[in-house]
Amino acid sequence: MNSDEDLENIHKVDAIVVIVGQDPDVVYSKTTALQTWLFGYEMTDIMIVLCHQSIHVLASKKKVDFLKMIESSKENEESVPPITLLVRDKTDKDGANFETLRTAIARSRSGKTIGEFTKDKFSGEFVDEWKKVLNSQNYETLDISSALAYIMAPKDDHEIALLTKAAALSSDIYAKYLREEITEIIDSDKKVKHSKLADGVEQAVANKKYVKGSYCSNIVRTLLVNPTDEQKSLYEFLVEVQESVLEKLRDGVRLSDVYQHAIDMVSKHDKSIVDKMTKNIGFAMGLEFREGSLLLAPKSNAIARKGMVFNVSIGFSGLQNKSASDAEGKAYALFIGDTVVVNEGSAANLLTPSKKKLKNIAIILKDDDQESEEEEDVKPEIIKEEDFGNRGSRRTALVDNKLRNESTTEEKRKIHQKELSENLNESARARLASKAGNNKEESHKKSTISYKNMNQMPKEPEVNDLKIYVDKKYETVILPIFGIPVPFHISTIKNIAQSVEGDYTYLRINFFHPGATLAKSDSAMFTNNFDSTFLKELTYRSTNVKEPGEISAPSSNLNTAFRLIKEVQKKFKTREAEEREKEGIVKQDTLVLSQNKGNPKLKDLYIRPNIITKRIHGTLEAHANGFRFTSIRGDRVDILYNNIKHAFFQPCDGEMLILLHFTLKNAIMFGKKKQAEVQFYTEVGEITTDLGKHQHMHDRDDLAAEQAERELRQKLKTAFKTFCDKVEQLTKQEVEFDTPFKDLGFPGVPNRSIVLLQPTSGCLVNLTDWPPFVITLEEVELVHFERVQFHLKNFDMIFVFKDYNRKISMVNAVPMNMLDHVKEWLNESDFSEDSAVTESETEESENSLGSSEESGKDWSELEEEAAAADKTHSDFVDDYTQRKGKGGGGGSHHRSKPPPPKMHSSMGSSKRSSMGSSKHSSMGSSKHSSMGSSKHSSMKRGRDGRDDHRDKHKKMRK
């Protein structure tokens, strides 16, 4: 279409006449599209005349009453000519009304040329009577279909919102109904007519709650069944061509240039398939499904404009599958299509978000006979003779995002687990042979030095007067000991205490020393000082009596020192805590802000964890290379795309929250803490319910509230889903949102409360409760089950990671009736798993992880040890059974308890006053001066396995 020539017809006509009769067979037409565009509704037996300076509408009384709001609207006073509404008069077959309209046309410019939609053919008495008037006046008519289509093609925000809903509906029908139906048909080897599938799709559309406002959308997918490598390669290339076309389709680009871009790309790849490509690669759509004048074709000279909506559909037909065994399978075609909207200065936005990568559309078929033959080769003793007669030829289909419905047998699972175990052991042996994983970097705590030289010592009068002086600059306390001011760094002081007894004030200072209770990070200060003596405590006494001539009592120095030491301690600990939080923080790139007003954005979201104590809401917006969350207070949290490890979207189906969750590769700082899990959510409905309120199932208020909540849920789901789809398109699938499979979930306790753990395509997650639980399945080497005894109600799961330096992750209290379900899921996900009757093996296995690389043990040897331990524990008989005489001696041996530990007193004096020399001057080192060493040895009482089980059985009986 040449847009300039067609638009010229608009200037040539003196008036435009649009008339609609009654023809139920007409589905799409320019006439009904114009009605919907102008009025928002389709109406029959109505005539619209658009003159140069006036608008006339002829319709029945009911329709005129409906249109009166347009006539009186203030919005139309300035930009719209006067509107005249005429009521139909059937007595004279609208003769007077037609004469009024003819007069209006005659007064519009020259009154000789009428614009109309030539292809629209309506019938009925009303239309026939107007044709008689038209023929009697000898008007010249011009077709303005293409010109009006080009005017209506750019959509405003309201229209794009309706088209987005229509596209989401199409995607849902395909993903949740049609694809599942086709998969089931292939899985069952049935024969179903296409017409029956089409009827099912129409019924599924009718069941949808929301209306798409008469706007159209389209989605095209090709499902490949057992594709060959050539078919896979060509399909992936077809997806690349479509993505390149979307990049080319922008505001101001000629439609024929977009088509030529696709042709050039295909020709460069393989010239032999250029002739097999579709003759056009899409068309404009909106109120009409297909706008024939706006095609992405070689002769279409129209210019794409911002807001235009196209169905970009590309395909190859007449392709040959050389490896096909039957004639029907030799010829095949590939076709994909999506609904997109044109942008200004950027690629077209995808409105149909259904995934189209090869892994999402491929269906892999496998005969049961083939599976049985494989099992026969591996373990022939499992197959019985009578089983051969019962084998069918039914095939099973496995889609990547759907687990197999048919549960595998225990024998199949064991065979698969044996293969996984062998692969696991081979990788472990290879790692042990290469000595990988032993080089763990240890962080060294920096030494705290008070003064590097004597020149830094303060020259204050308090120091010379042998008073306690607190140096805030160097975070040091200078204490007088035997007439010598000795500096102590604030990190060496454990705590201080002040008391008043009679006329004296006492200040007691306790120091960190070997043998005292220390944090793991603080114990490093003694590692390099084995030959030193350490100071344990110091006590100073001063009188409260003020002598004549003194400004203040001598004890004021102790009071001031007590206050200042507390302040410096608090400041030092706060800074240390902040530094610990910042350890491991990787500096992120700078967020590049996008000035495009069409950036994907979600408003009124809360963030977890909170930025401040009180939760505050804000806006999440996607920019060029990352997200930015801006709270109403002005706080900002930036998350870059390249730092996102996992992105999850959890809808509000059966949940009170709808959320987006990000697991980061490297933690970021906000709220004064480093965070590797960030979540944005909003609440749906009321979390609490008033139980005191009288409830009635037919209460109108309750029904209205439920309806409002359903509408809110649907609105939020659409908004979040649209945001995710736009982000995926913006990042070119660099950020891909994963949705948990709720149907595959199982309850468990990963932290403190029972939650629903839901698998995703690559993780096991619980995102509703906080803190969240996210385990990346690729990082897991083995899943270990504990307390697998069927007289118990629950069992535990242990996730052992490939990185042995990483702490194991536990999920407790999984219901025993979910054991087969969990094992089936792990088996389908190719995870090796083993079981233990008791939980005492966990510590032994965990300790073995650290030593397995040195000892050379692989997983098979560890499993054998666990099985032997299970056999031993299975013979255990508790005290209650023994007293009843129902059991003999247990199979476990008993060891006597160790004697209580002896506490060794410190080797030297620990007097409150300072008695002895002071080696600790902290003039370049962080050594404590000390009055004696404090060798404290300690022993922990332990119990053997039998004692552990006795306590557990007692708790069980209770």
Side-chain angles (χ1 to χ4, degrees):
M1 158 187 160
N2 190 323
S3 60
D4 296 334
E5 294 179 3
D6 287 296
L7 284 175
E8 195 65 29
N9 288 342
I10 291 286
H11 301 290
K12 292 178 181 180
V13 300
D14 299 317
I16 298 174
V17 178
V18 180
I19 185 169
V20 182
Q22 295 199 12
D23 194 345
D25 295 333
V26 176
V27 179
Y28 298 112
S29 68
K30 284 288 183 297
T31 305
T32 55
L34 181 62
Q35 278 190 20
T36 307
W37 193 55
L38 292 175
F39 307 136
Y41 291 93
E42 293 182 12
M43 293 175 279
T44 59
D45 289 339
I46 184 174
M47 183 175 176
I48 305 171
V49 179
L50 303 174
C51 299
H52 183 58
Q53 293 183 345
S54 62
I55 298 175
H56 300 266
V57 180
L58 174 60
S60 64
K61 188 177 185 306
K62 288 185 178 180
K63 296 183 180 71
V64 168
D65 292 340
F66 170 74
L67 295 173
K68 280 184 178 179
M69 66 179 71
I70 301 175
E71 184 183 22
S72 60
S73 176
K74 293 183 179 181
E75 297 178 0
N76 300 326
E77 288 181 356
E78 298 179 0
S79 58
V80 178
I83 300 174
T84 302
L85 302 178
L86 302 175
V87 180
R88 287 191 59 191
D89 185 3
K90 295 183 180 180
T91 56
D92 64 344
K93 296 184 180 181
D94 292 309
N97 290 326
F98 287 151
E99 181 63 24
T100 302
L101 296 177
R102 189 194 64 78
T103 304
I105 294 173
R107 293 175 180 175
S108 178
R109 292 184 175 177
S110 61
K112 297 180 180 180
T113 307
I114 294 177
E116 63 178 7
F117 303 130
T118 307
K119 295 182 180 180
D120 291 357
K121 304 294 183 181
F122 288 94
S123 60
E125 183 182 2
F126 180 57
V127 177
D128 294 338
E129 291 296 326
W130 169 249
K131 286 181 179 178
K132 293 178 182 178
V133 176
L134 197 64
N135 295 331
S136 65
Q137 298 298 320
N138 295 322
Y139 289 120
E140 180 186 358
T141 59
L142 291 177
D143 186 15
I144 59 170
S145 300
S146 298
L148 198 65
Y150 191 78
I151 294 173
M152 295 170 59
K155 306 297 188 292
D156 57 23
D157 293 340
H158 177 68
E159 290 179 293
I160 291 177
L162 292 174
L163 282 160
T164 302
K165 291 182 180 179
L169 173 60
S170 298
S171 300
D172 286 347
I173 294 300
Y174 161 71
K176 298 180 181 178
Y177 175 77
L178 183 58
R179 184 176 63 183
E180 299 296 327
E181 284 291 312
I182 295 175
T183 304
E184 181 63 27
I185 291 170
I186 296 173
D187 190 26
S188 305
D189 205 10
K190 297 178 183 178
K191 292 184 179 180
V192 179
K193 293 183 178 180
H194 289 186
S195 59
K196 187 176 180 180
L197 275 176
D199 293 340
V201 170
E202 290 183 0
Q203 292 177 4
V205 173
N207 290 334
K208 286 292 180 179
K209 300 293 183 183
Y210 52 89
V211 182
K212 59 186 183 301
S214 299
Y215 282 85
C216 304
S217 65
N218 189 38
I219 181 172
V220 182
R221 293 291 183 268
T222 301
L223 300 180
L224 299 177
V225 182
N226 280 349
T228 62
D229 293 340
E230 182 182 0
Q231 290 173 331
K232 292 178 182 179
S233 176
L234 188 56
Y235 179 83
E236 290 175 345
F237 171 69
L238 183 61
V239 174
E240 291 179 8
V241 173
Q242 191 202 37
E243 291 177 350
S244 181
V245 166
L246 297 184
E247 183 68 28
K248 179 72 175 177
L249 184 58
R250 303 184 180 199
D251 179 79
V253 178
R254 197 173 298 275
L255 300 186
S256 58
D257 294 342
V258 178
Y259 178 82
Q260 188 61 40
H261 175 76
I263 288 291
D264 294 342
M265 190 172 179
V266 175
S267 178
K268 185 178 180 181
H269 177 76
D270 188 354
K271 293 183 178 180
S272 63
I273 62 175
V274 174
D275 296 336
K276 303 180 186 299
M277 185 175 165
T278 52
K279 300 307 178 184
N280 65 74
I281 59 172
F283 47 83
M285 64 192 317
L287 290 167
E288 293 184 271
F289 178 76
R290 184 179 186 273
E291 180 48 64
S293 60
L294 292 174
L295 299 177
L296 295 172
K299 296 182 180 180
S300 182
N301 295 322
I303 305 298
R305 295 302 178 195
K306 179 183 178 182
M308 286 185 173
V309 175
F310 286 87
N311 178 40
V312 179
S313 302
I314 310 174
F316 301 111
S317 60
L319 301 171
Q320 295 296 319
N321 181 13
K322 300 177 182 179
S323 62
S325 57
D326 55 342
E328 295 179 354
K330 286 188 177 297
Y332 72 97
L334 298 175
F335 201 34
I336 56 174
D338 287 288
T339 304
V340 303
V341 60
V342 178
N343 290 325
E344 183 178 3
S346 61
N349 277 350
L350 204 65
L351 298 182
T352 45
S354 183
K355 298 176 182 178
K356 54 180 176 285
K357 288 187 176 181
L358 181 63
K359 65 179 182 179
N360 303 117
I361 56 90
I363 300 176
I364 308 301
L365 296 179
K366 192 174 183 181
D367 292 334
D368 284 346
D369 291 338
Q370 297 176 3
E371 294 179 358
S372 301
E373 289 174 4
E374 292 176 3
E375 293 172 19
E376 214 169 32
D377 295 336
V378 178
K379 196 173 183 180
E381 65 272 17
I382 297 175
I383 307 299
K384 299 181 181 179
E385 292 182 1
E386 58 266 26
D387 293 338
F388 286 95
N390 297 327
R391 292 183 189 171
S393 60
R394 183 169 181 265
R395 299 174 297 178
T396 55
L398 181 62
V399 185
D400 86 307
N401 60 353
K402 175 185 174 185
L403 292 181
R404 201 183 302 234
N405 290 328
E406 294 79 19
S407 59
T408 60
T409 61
E410 184 66 16
E411 288 79 8
K412 290 181 180 180
R413 191 188 66 80
K414 287 183 178 179
I415 292 173
H416 190 205
Q417 285 296 315
K418 185 177 180 180
E419 295 175 355
L420 294 174
S421 179
E422 291 175 354
N423 295 335
L424 184 64
N425 290 331
E426 288 178 3
S427 62
R429 292 190 188 100
R431 182 170 56 252
L432 294 174
S434 60
K435 299 295 183 181
N438 285 334
N439 300 326
K440 182 181 178 181
E441 296 182 0
E442 296 183 357
S443 58
H444 296 282
K445 186 179 178 69
K446 63 180 182 180
S447 60
T448 52
I449 300 174
S450 295
Y451 304 112
K452 294 182 179 180
N453 52 64
M454 287 295 298
N455 296 329
Q456 293 180 344
M457 279 281 289
K459 309 299 182 183
E460 301 297 329
E462 288 88 345
V463 178
N464 298 328
D465 296 342
L466 297 179
K467 293 182 179 180
I468 299 177
Y469 178 75
V470 180
D471 189 354
K472 292 183 179 181
K473 181 179 179 181
Y474 291 96
E475 296 177 331
T476 299
V477 181
I478 300 177
L479 301 175
I481 300 178
F482 295 110
I484 301 174
V486 182
F488 292 84
H489 194 271
I490 197 68
S491 63
T492 63
I493 298 176
K494 184 178 181 181
N495 53 53
I496 59 174
Q498 186 183 29
S499 61
V500 178
E501 297 179 7
D503 294 336
Y504 294 94
T505 296
Y506 293 86
L507 179 65
R508 179 176 177 176
I509 303 176
N510 296 317
F511 297 92
F512 289 110
H513 60 87
T517 304
L518 298 175
K520 187 176 181 180
S521 58
D522 295 328
S523 61
M525 67 175 66
F526 305 125
T527 54
N528 299 324
N529 302 318
F530 295 110
D531 57 342
S532 303
T533 53
F534 294 84
L535 185 65
K536 184 177 181 181
E537 68 178 54
L538 282 173
T539 300
Y540 290 89
R541 187 186 72 171
S542 183
T543 179
N544 297 329
V545 179
K546 183 172 66 172
E547 298 293 335
E550 291 183 343
I551 300 176
S552 60
S555 60
S556 61
N557 177 246
L558 299 185
N559 297 331
T560 304
F562 177 78
R563 177 176 55 82
L564 294 178
I565 291 173
K566 284 285 188 182
E567 291 179 3
V568 175
Q569 257 190 336
K570 182 179 180 181
K571 181 181 177 182
F572 176 78
K573 290 179 179 178
T574 302
R575 192 180 74 253
E576 286 285 301
E578 291 177 356
E579 290 179 357
R580 282 196 298 270
E581 285 294 331
K582 292 180 180 179
E583 285 181 1
I585 295 293
V586 178
K587 186 178 180 180
Q588 294 191 98
D589 298 333
T590 304
L591 181 67
V592 179
L593 298 179
S594 174
Q595 302 302 326
N596 188 1
K597 294 183 179 179
N599 289 338
K601 184 185 297 185
L602 284 175
K603 297 180 180 179
D604 296 330
L605 296 183
Y606 295 102
I607 185 173
R608 288 200 294 193
N610 297 330
I611 300 177
I612 56 176
T613 306
K614 182 181 179 182
R615 68 172 190 171
I616 52 177
H617 62 84
T619 301
L620 180 66
E621 185 174 2
H623 291 278
N625 65 335
F627 298 99
R628 167 164 286 183
F629 176 79
T630 307
S631 70
I632 57 174
R633 223 178 53 142
D635 305 288
R636 293 176 178 176
V637 177
D638 295 340
I639 301 174
L640 299 187
Y641 298 144
N642 58 13
N643 192 32
I644 296 176
K645 185 178 181 181
H646 300 295
F648 302 102
F649 163 54
Q650 181 172 292
C652 51
D653 299 328
E655 300 284 351
M656 296 306 295
L657 300 178
I658 183 170
L659 57 88
L660 299 176
H661 186 94
F662 299 101
T663 299
L664 307 181
K665 298 175 184 176
N666 301 301
I668 61 175
M669 286 289 296
F670 70 89
K672 296 184 179 180
K673 292 184 179 179
K674 58 181 178 182
Q675 312 290 351
E677 307 285 345
V678 185
Q679 189 177 110
F680 305 97
Y681 71 97
T682 187
E683 295 175 351
V684 183
E686 296 181 358
I687 303 295
T688 59
T689 303
D690 185 4
L691 299 178
K693 181 183 176 182
H694 176 70
Q695 300 289 333
H696 193 274
M697 63 179 297
H698 299 296
D699 190 349
R700 291 185 178 181
D701 293 338
D702 290 346
L703 293 176
E706 290 177 4
Q707 179 65 24
E709 183 175 331
R710 283 194 293 269
E711 292 176 357
L712 175 61
R713 286 177 179 271
Q714 187 60 51
K715 182 179 179 182
L716 288 174
K717 283 175 63 177
T718 303
F720 273 72
K721 185 63 177 172
T722 303
F723 177 83
C724 295
D725 298 335
K726 288 183 178 180
V727 170
E728 289 182 353
Q729 183 184 2
L730 177 66
T731 61
K732 296 182 179 179
Q733 306 298 325
E734 180 185 358
V735 177
E736 193 169 356
F737 287 90
D738 206 351
T739 301
F741 301 124
K742 193 170 184 179
D743 295 339
L744 300 177
F746 55 91
V749 183
N751 295 309
R752 294 183 178 179
S753 58
I754 298 178
V755 298
L756 180 65
L757 302 172
Q758 304 176 65
T760 69
S761 59
C763 299
L764 179 66
V765 301
N766 172 262
L767 307 175
T768 306
D769 291 58
W770 199 263
F773 178 78
V774 180
I775 282 188
T776 305
L777 300 182
E778 291 182 353
E779 299 174 354
V780 177
E781 183 168 78
L782 178 75
V783 180
H784 178 71
F785 296 103
E786 287 189 346
R787 299 191 303 118
V788 183
Q789 302 182 59
F790 290 99
H791 66 274
L792 299 179
K793 293 183 179 180
N794 303 313
F795 67 92
D796 303 330
M797 295 176 64
I798 312 296
F799 293 88
V800 180
F801 298 98
K802 295 177 182 177
D803 181 7
Y804 291 164
N805 295 320
R806 181 177 173 182
K807 188 178 179 181
I808 61 172
S809 184
M810 297 184 63
V811 176
N812 300 320
V814 182
M816 189 61 69
N817 59 1
M818 301 298 293
L819 179 62
D820 292 337
H821 170 76
V822 174
K823 284 189 174 183
E824 180 67 17
W825 166 64
L826 292 173
N827 191 58
E828 292 287 351
S829 302
D830 292 337
F831 277 100
S832 180
E833 46 91 359
D834 66 346
S835 303
V837 176
T838 63
E839 63 178 350
S840 60
E841 286 84 9
T842 304
E843 295 180 1
E844 299 171 5
S845 299
E846 186 177 358
N847 294 333
S848 299
L849 295 182
S851 60
S852 60
E853 297 182 2
E854 291 81 4
S855 62
K857 293 181 180 180
D858 59 16
W859 283 110
S860 60
E861 294 171 331
L862 294 175
E863 289 173 5
E864 290 176 1
E865 293 177 2
D870 287 345
K871 185 176 180 181
T872 303
H873 286 300
S874 63
D875 298 331
F876 170 73
V877 179
D878 60 13
D879 294 343
Y880 178 80
T881 306
Q882 288 179 352
R883 288 197 300 270
K884 290 293 184 180
K886 293 183 180 181
S892 62
H893 62 279
H894 182 72
R895 294 175 299 179
S896 60
K897 295 182 179 180
K902 296 181 179 179
M903 302 302 296
H904 296 270
S905 59
S906 58
M907 302 296 292
S909 174
S910 62
K911 295 180 181 179
R912 299 174 68 182
S913 59
S914 303
M915 300 294 294
S917 62
S918 170
K919 288 187 178 180
H920 175 90
S921 62
S922 193
M923 292 290 189
S925 69
S926 61
K927 296 182 180 180
H928 285 52
S929 65
S930 63
M931 295 303 171
S933 64
S934 172
K935 296 182 180 179
H936 285 252
S937 62
S938 62
M939 297 177 61
K940 293 184 178 179
R941 300 181 62 186
R943 298 185 300 176
D944 63 358
R946 181 172 179 178
D947 294 332
D948 291 337
H949 288 291
R950 183 179 294 113
D951 289 349
K952 291 173 190 173
H953 281 276
K954 288 179 181 179
K955 292 178 181 178
M956 209 178 301
R957 289 199 301 272
K958 290 178 182 178

